[in-house]
Amino acid sequence: MSAEATNPGNPGAAGRKRGRRRLELRGLRRIGRAALLGPAPRDGLPHALEHVAKVHRGHHPDADLDTLAKAYLLAESSHRGQLRKSGEPYITHPLAVTLILAELGAETTTLTASLLHDTVEDTEVTLDQVRDLFGAEVCYLVDGVTKLEKVDYGAAAEPETFRKMLVATGNDVRVMSIKLADRLHNMRTLGVMRPEKQARIAKVTRDVLIPLAERLGVQALKAELEDLVFAILHPEEYATTRSLVMEYAARPDPLAAIAQRVRTVLDEAGIDAEVLVRPRHFVSLHRVRLARRELTGADLGRLLVLVTEDADCYAVLGELHTCFTPVISEFKDFIAAPKFNLYQSLHTAVAGPSGEIAETLIRTHQMHRVAEAGVIALGNPYAPTDGADAPEGERADPTRPGWLSRLLEWQRTTPDPDTFWTSLRDDLAQDREITVFCADAPSDGTGGPSAAGGAIGLPAGASCVDAAYERHGEAAHCCIGARVNGRLATLATVLHDGDSLQLLMAPDSAAGPSPEWLDHARTPAARLAIARWLAGPREPGARPASPGEAPAETPLTGRPTADHHRSGAGSVTPGSVLAVADLPGAAVRLAGCCTPVPPDTVTGFAVRGGTVTVHRALCPVVARMAATGRQPVGVRWRGAGQGGHGCRVTLLAEAFSRPHLLADLTEAIASQGAAVVSAAVEPPHEQRVRHTYTLHLPNASGLPSLMRAMRQVPGVFDVLRAGRARQAAAMRP
């Protein structure tokens, strides 16, 4: 990294006192000594590369070490004479980064690029030379890391910084892996920096790079980065946690006794398993201490059980829950439903003989490698296949998580860097995910288009609005409601892990979200899409209906087409209530916010697409549009006073809460020949409840008798049209 390179003639930089906070990996001291010996080969390998090669061969026995040796010789000769701010030869930095990646199981191409990752930026080596010597793949990775190093990490530049970062690295997750290893080594040696610079680098690491490590599943890097940041930004809490660890180190470890008993139980059951005690890192211990206020010896670690096959994981779980007392609330199955970052494991907790609670992780050896190294453990995702080559500029990456694709889409569609930065940080801050199962919507007049069923991942606390945009993208603007676990629900409903969801879509693409949706959207994808729609030209106050209302601006019998009947004063949708607008060539739609029917007094306003939306004169939207200076368009009922056409209307029944109220109201509606399009029931408040119905009436003249029949239902004290109900609610204290 260029910021670490220094002129050897600068005695202040070379002689600065080395006061470091670091957690050394195996072999780093050997690397530093070997680097001073120079590049002289021994048994075909440079001295400094021997430990890296040994670790790499442990993961990849057939690895081509000649390529690594050639890369090291180029890096060493290029960086010769450069020193780090700590006074060490600069080559120790790329060697340390390469060792970090080698211990995580990175393949040879990634290690080659990590050895060369600073050569193009800090030396005379060019990308063309790297391409000629090592091929296009290594050149691509070195170029990606070089672009990151040129980015300014100053606070004022952060929004544009990370937009560029995603552009530079989004097409290859290995670039991010090298960057994370580079940051880890720099954090280990951060003690040579001024305290204020340490804090600035630690904050960027905390806010962006640690969440990126979590997203990539590289838990080994994430845990150490968290501890290093913790020591810099919260030194007192770090010291307290460290002292607690030292205090408990002198006591008997209760987890060791439980682990031995688990080994005995699994051995008697004939299950070949490795049982380990896995210590928690300092940040994890600090979080446990805050949650439980007091630590026990068993809180300092967790049991890790490693087996060979997936089925063995469940066999181990069965034995543990049979021979120990399980804590059922602690059970999670991330094998059947893996996390967004490829993590798989069974989580449980059991009580030991003295009442200690031992949290236990059960996974296969392969799951463990992926849990520690994430995408790094999956090898080269771009290895040649028999399939067609990817399009120019695109790299087909089977390991690229969905969140990364979303971030790349946001940076392309969000021109404002500050908005993108906020969305990025919001997404990275979401550290817990739920799984929701989407079902196909019925193919009726209200369901509209629906995506195929399947599981979708959402952040904890996400609502139906978030699910709609995750499943449908921009088409979610037409969502009018949802069924959660089979029950009608508002779009504001917060979803929980394992919920079954059915999204209801309006058949009219002219419907759109309301500003209130932003209050219920948790995911940046949903918020950005809603904000883009609201910023475009639209009718002020227009919104889609809730599950109890028809969607705004929805035609009564489908979308207008080229064969609409035309009149000199406007057009009407075939088969709908004959409303006519005094605007030549305009299609007429009835607003879902107030659902006007003959003989209501109505007015109209032109909206995008050349459509005139008809509102009742008393609709609150009319007043808002008039306040903004929008000019009304004259509209009238064709054949005024003749209510002989089908129509849709939204009614709100105010009632005292009682059993069977919904059934009685539905029966009264059916007795009047009306069909229920959708319905919603708000939670009771002070023994009062509100039912909202969107109904289709065969004849508009039957509306008064329908409202009378609903008012006669016991417990109902008022039935109102949708627009009037909102006005009444606004006047209530």
Side-chain angles (χ1 to χ4, degrees):
M1 181 173 168
S2 61
E4 292 291 338
T6 181
N7 188 326
N10 184 345
R16 185 172 295 159
K17 185 178 179 179
R18 298 166 59 186
R20 305 174 186 170
R21 295 185 185 96
R22 58 183 176 180
L23 303 173
E24 288 290 351
L25 284 176
R26 299 186 304 274
L28 285 184
R29 294 183 183 277
R30 183 187 304 177
I31 281 178
R33 291 194 299 270
L36 294 173
L37 297 177
R42 186 179 70 188
D43 299 329
L45 282 177
H47 301 305
L49 203 60
E50 288 180 345
H51 188 62
V52 173
K54 180 180 179 181
V55 173
H56 185 42
R57 275 282 172 85
H59 291 280
H60 303 277
D62 300 326
D64 180 10
L65 299 182
D66 291 341
T67 302
L68 285 180
K70 185 167 65 172
Y72 170 77
L73 292 175
L74 176 60
E76 194 280 333
S77 62
S78 302
H79 290 297
R80 190 174 299 163
Q82 288 183 331
L83 300 177
R84 304 191 80 218
K85 290 188 177 180
S86 59
E88 294 174 320
Y90 193 82
I91 189 61
T92 59
H93 172 64
L95 275 171
V97 172
T98 304
L99 179 59
I100 291 170
L101 293 169
E103 291 192 325
L104 292 173
E107 37 75 50
T108 306
T109 302
T110 303
L111 298 188
T112 303
S114 69
L115 282 170
L116 301 170
H117 77 271
D118 278 336
T119 55
V120 173
E121 180 188 9
D122 292 340
T123 74
E124 299 298 321
V125 175
T126 66
L127 281 174
D128 289 338
Q129 290 176 303
V130 173
R131 183 182 295 104
D132 292 341
L133 290 172
F134 301 99
E137 201 74 25
V138 172
C139 178
Y140 186 94
L141 298 179
V142 172
D143 185 36
V145 179
T146 301
K147 289 176 180 176
L148 291 186
E149 299 302 342
K150 292 180 180 179
V151 169
D152 178 16
Y153 280 86
E158 281 180 345
E160 193 59 30
T161 289
F162 292 101
R163 179 193 290 272
K164 292 176 180 177
M165 175 175 143
L166 287 171
V167 173
T169 67
N171 284 334
D172 198 321
V173 293
R174 292 177 295 177
V175 176
M176 285 189 179
S177 302
I178 297 172
K179 177 60 186 175
L180 288 171
D182 174 80
R183 176 52 62 94
L184 176 57
H185 184 247
N186 285 330
M187 288 293 297
R188 289 172 176 169
T189 59
L190 207 58
V192 298
M193 302 284 188
R194 298 187 307 274
E196 59 271 18
K197 190 170 184 180
Q198 290 185 35
R200 181 175 66 83
I201 294 175
K203 287 176 181 177
V204 173
T205 303
R206 176 197 63 193
D207 293 343
V208 176
L209 294 178
I210 287 175
L212 282 176
E214 169 73 14
R215 295 301 193 275
L216 293 175
V218 193
Q219 294 297 324
L221 298 186
K222 172 181 175 280
E224 189 174 350
L225 284 171
E226 282 186 328
D227 283 349
L228 292 167
V229 169
F230 187 39
I232 293 173
L233 298 183
H234 305 282
E236 294 181 0
E237 291 88 342
Y238 178 84
T240 300
T241 306
R242 184 182 180 86
S243 65
L244 284 172
V245 172
M246 300 301 294
E247 177 185 343
Y248 278 103
R251 304 179 186 179
D253 184 4
L255 287 180
I258 299 176
Q260 183 56 46
R261 188 180 174 196
V262 170
R263 293 187 190 99
T264 302
V265 167
L266 298 181
D267 186 60
E268 292 175 352
I271 301 174
D272 184 16
E274 182 179 0
V275 182
L276 306 171
V277 176
R278 184 177 178 83
R280 293 182 185 271
H281 63 289
F282 286 175
V283 170
S284 177
L285 270 177
H286 178 65
R287 290 169 181 159
V288 171
R289 187 168 67 90
L290 291 179
R292 302 177 185 174
R293 297 190 178 183
E294 185 176 350
L295 290 177
T296 66
D299 291 328
L300 269 64
R302 292 183 289 188
L303 297 185
L304 175 62
V305 182
L306 299 176
V307 294
T308 304
E309 303 291 338
D310 290 11
D312 293 337
C313 295
Y314 294 96
V316 170
L317 181 70
E319 291 297 326
L320 292 181
H321 284 195
T322 299
C323 300
F324 295 85
T325 302
V327 182
I328 301 301
S329 61
E330 296 293 323
F331 172 69
K332 297 181 181 68
D333 187 345
F334 294 118
I335 295 179
K339 285 188 175 183
F340 58 89
N341 59 3
L342 311 177
Y343 177 87
Q344 288 184 288
S345 190
L346 293 179
H347 289 204
T348 189
V350 295
S354 301
E356 308 93 343
I357 302 299
E359 295 184 29
T360 307
L361 312 176
I362 308 168
R363 59 179 72 142
T364 66
H365 292 279
Q366 173 61 17
M367 291 176 190
H368 183 58
R369 283 191 290 271
V370 175
E372 291 293 290
V375 296
I376 299 176
L378 300 179
N380 183 359
Y382 314 105
T385 63
D386 296 333
D389 293 336
E392 183 68 24
E394 295 291 333
R395 299 166 66 81
D397 182 358
T399 70
R400 186 162 83 184
W403 65 266
L404 183 53
S405 298
R406 291 197 301 271
L407 290 184
L408 291 171
E409 177 63 24
W410 298 343
Q411 72 85 16
R412 283 192 292 266
T413 59
T414 310
D416 178 22
D418 291 325
T419 301
F420 172 73
W421 172 242
T422 302
S423 301
L424 171 64
R425 294 190 62 168
D426 287 348
D427 187 80
L428 294 179
Q430 296 163 1
D431 57 358
R432 194 167 67 86
E433 190 174 71
I434 62 172
T435 300
V436 175
F437 299 93
C438 282
D440 292 322
S443 57
D444 56 28
T446 62
S450 175
I456 58 174
L458 295 167
S463 68
C464 294
V465 171
D466 298 305
Y469 283 94
E470 179 69 21
R471 174 58 70 180
H472 293 282
E474 297 285 338
H477 295 332
C478 299
C479 190
I480 58 173
R483 290 187 177 93
V484 178
N485 300 323
R487 299 174 64 89
L488 282 171
T490 65
L491 291 175
T493 300
V494 175
L495 298 170
H496 299 90
D497 199 28
D499 278 349
S500 173
L501 176 67
Q502 188 179 87
L503 296 167
L504 305 177
M505 310 296 288
D508 180 14
S509 62
S514 69
E516 288 78 10
W517 285 25
L518 290 173
D519 298 331
H520 312 309
R522 178 175 173 84
T523 60
R527 296 183 63 82
L528 289 173
I530 295 167
R532 280 196 300 271
W533 193 94
L534 293 174
R538 64 187 185 89
E539 175 186 359
R543 61 179 181 85
S546 69
E549 297 179 359
E553 303 178 19
T554 301
L556 296 179
T557 58
R559 298 178 60 186
T561 59
D563 59 354
H564 287 170
H565 298 302
R566 301 282 176 176
S567 69
S571 66
V572 295
T573 305
S576 70
V577 175
L578 299 182
V580 179
D582 296 332
L583 186 65
V588 176
R589 303 184 183 198
L590 304 185
C593 55
C594 56
T595 55
V597 298
D600 292 339
T601 302
V602 291
T603 187
F605 288 89
V607 296
R608 58 182 177 181
T611 300
V612 172
T613 302
V614 179
H615 293 264
R616 293 166 59 203
L618 297 178
C619 178
V621 172
V622 172
R624 287 200 294 270
M625 284 191 288
T628 62
R630 294 286 294 275
Q631 294 299 316
V633 175
V635 292
R636 63 185 182 280
W637 301 115
R638 174 171 292 183
Q642 302 174 14
H645 301 278
C647 66
R648 183 174 292 186
V649 65
T650 298
L651 299 178
L652 292 93
E654 305 277 359
F656 294 106
S657 180
R658 66 172 178 81
H660 309 299
L661 176 61
L662 179 61
D664 292 344
L665 276 168
T666 305
E667 183 178 355
I669 292 169
S671 68
Q672 297 296 311
V676 178
V677 176
S678 62
V681 180
E682 297 180 11
H685 177 67
E686 296 181 353
Q687 300 300 315
R688 295 187 178 190
V689 67
R690 172 181 289 182
H691 291 220
T692 305
Y693 298 93
T694 298
L695 309 172
H696 183 81
L697 279 66
N699 193 314
S701 62
L703 179 59
S705 61
L706 170 63
M707 296 176 69
R708 282 195 299 271
M710 294 175 66
R711 289 191 183 102
Q712 291 172 1
V713 172
V716 176
F717 56 84
D718 202 359
V719 176
L720 304 170
R721 299 280 295 279
R724 292 178 182 173
R726 278 192 291 271
Q727 287 180 323
M731 291 187 293
R732 284 197 293 263

